[in-house]
Amino acid sequence: GAVVSQHPSWVICKSGTSVKIECRSLDFQATTMFWYRQFPKQSLMLMATSNEGSKATYEQGVEKDKFLINHASLTLSTLTVTSAHPEDSSFYICSAKTGTIYEQYFGPGTRLTVT
Amino acid sequence: QQQVKQSPQSLIVQKGGISIINCAYENTAFDYFPWYQQFPGKGPALLIAIRPDVSEKKEGRFTISFNKSAKQFSLHIMDSQPGDSATYFCAARPNNDMRFGAGTRLTVKP
């Protein structure tokens, strides 16, 4: 149980275009979803937290107009990187939790390369 | 954002040996301390977790030791195997989200 999927697993896009990454909880209802960014050989940095049906809460320094997060249902959250630039190239990982339980379940990640 | 300090940055252990990774935190509001294992190109997977009202938790070859007064916790991997070679992250939960340590790259030599 507690499986989280991400799509796509990797994507290459041109500078200036937008790309959407999906995060789905497959066997539970995700009341809260998180988006992380991870650069090579570095730790996970929380970008934003979203609760189903509410606006996402962004961490300090994360541009909310650039990284659009939508948590429209209890099983789906999307991250859209708008007007992507090479410096946005990174590994994006989502996680999900339900209710008040502590555990977060992580997706397999999406490798974004902006050329 | 780094509120959890993790050491060492890298660790090399012989097969069958004990791997020990340490973490320290400052925020006394943290109430949940998980350890994650991450293989290259994959998302982190929960290994084991502990609450601050417990000083030790063991699951198979993995043990968390927790010292509330020192605000430190550690992961011990007994009988380390080459398949354990991965990056390990400690984390701590302040409210609803998770704060991660910098990670430890573990290599277990056969």
Side-chain angles (χ1 to χ4, degrees), chain A residues 32 34 36 38 41-46 49 51 59 91 93 97 99-104 106-109 111, chain B residues 1-2 9 31-32 36 38 41-46 49 51 89 93 95-103 105:
Chain A
T32 306
F34 306 88
Y36 295 85
Q38 186 178 35
K41 299 185 180 180
Q42 292 191 23
S43 188
L44 287 79
M45 300 300 288
L46 180 65
T49 301
N51 294 297
E59 293 296 301
F91 193 49
I93 308 171
K97 65 185 294 289
T100 57
I101 69 164
Y102 292 110
E103 284 84 6
Q104 288 184 27
F106 284 82
R111 172 76 58 194
Chain B
Q1 226 189 59
Q2 206 103 75
Q9 190 173 21
D31 62 356
Y32 173 70
Y36 292 89
Q38 186 179 32
K42 305 293 183 184
L46 178 66
R51 298 283 306 278
F89 292 96
R93 190 194 94 123
N95 295 299
N96 200 29
D97 57 1
M98 204 75 74
R99 305 293 167 174
F100 285 82
R105 182 170 294 215

Side-chain angles (χ1 to χ4, degrees), chain B:
Chain B
Q1 226 189 59
Q2 206 103 75
Q3 299 178 20
V4 182
K5 293 185 179 179
Q6 184 172 345
S7 63
Q9 190 173 21
S10 63
L11 179 62
I12 300 174
V13 173
Q14 289 295 128
K15 179 182 175 182
I18 302 174
S19 304
I20 302 175
I21 305 171
N22 301 298
C23 282
Y25 64 98
E26 289 294 328
N27 190 341
T28 55
F30 290 162
D31 62 356
Y32 173 70
F33 302 87
W35 284 89
Y36 292 89
Q37 178 189 57
Q38 186 179 32
F39 292 103
K42 305 293 183 184
L46 178 66
L47 258 183
I48 186 172
I50 199 168
R51 298 283 306 278
D53 52 350
V54 177
S55 61
E56 186 175 282
K57 183 175 181 181
K58 183 176 181 179
E59 289 183 1
R61 296 186 293 111
F62 301 95
T63 300
I64 298 179
S65 296
F66 187 84
N67 186 328
K68 188 174 181 178
S69 61
K71 290 186 274 188
Q72 295 175 348
F73 57 110
S74 60
L75 175 69
H76 292 62
I77 305 174
M78 312 300 288
D79 187 27
S80 299
Q81 299 297 311
D84 296 331
S85 297
T87 299
Y88 293 80
F89 292 96
C90 63
R93 190 194 94 123
N95 295 299
N96 200 29
D97 57 1
M98 204 75 74
R99 305 293 167 174
F100 285 82
T104 296
R105 182 170 294 215
L106 171 66
T107 302
V108 181
K109 292 199 167 183

Side-chain angles (χ1 to χ4, degrees), chain A residues 40-94:
Chain A
K41 299 185 180 180
Q42 292 191 23
S43 188
L44 287 79
M45 300 300 288
L46 180 65
M47 298 175 67
T49 301
S50 72
N51 294 297
E52 184 264 338
S54 302
K55 286 186 177 180
T57 301
Y58 291 82
E59 293 296 301
Q60 192 172 10
V62 177
E63 299 175 60
K64 59 182 179 183
D65 294 331
K66 181 172 186 60
F67 299 99
L68 301 179
I69 291 170
N70 186 298
H71 190 169
S73 77
L74 285 171
T75 59
L76 174 64
S77 176
T78 60
L79 167 68
T80 301
V81 182
T82 63
S83 186
H85 291 286
E87 56 266 29
D88 298 325
S89 298
S90 188
F91 193 49
Y92 291 87
I93 308 171
C94 73

Side-chain angles (χ1 to χ4, degrees), chain A residues 11 13-20 66 68 80-84 112:
Chain A
V11 58
C13 71
K14 292 190 175 180
S15 186
T17 62
S18 297
V19 61
K20 181 184 286 188
K66 181 172 186 60
L68 301 179
T80 301
V81 182
T82 63
S83 186
L112 169 64

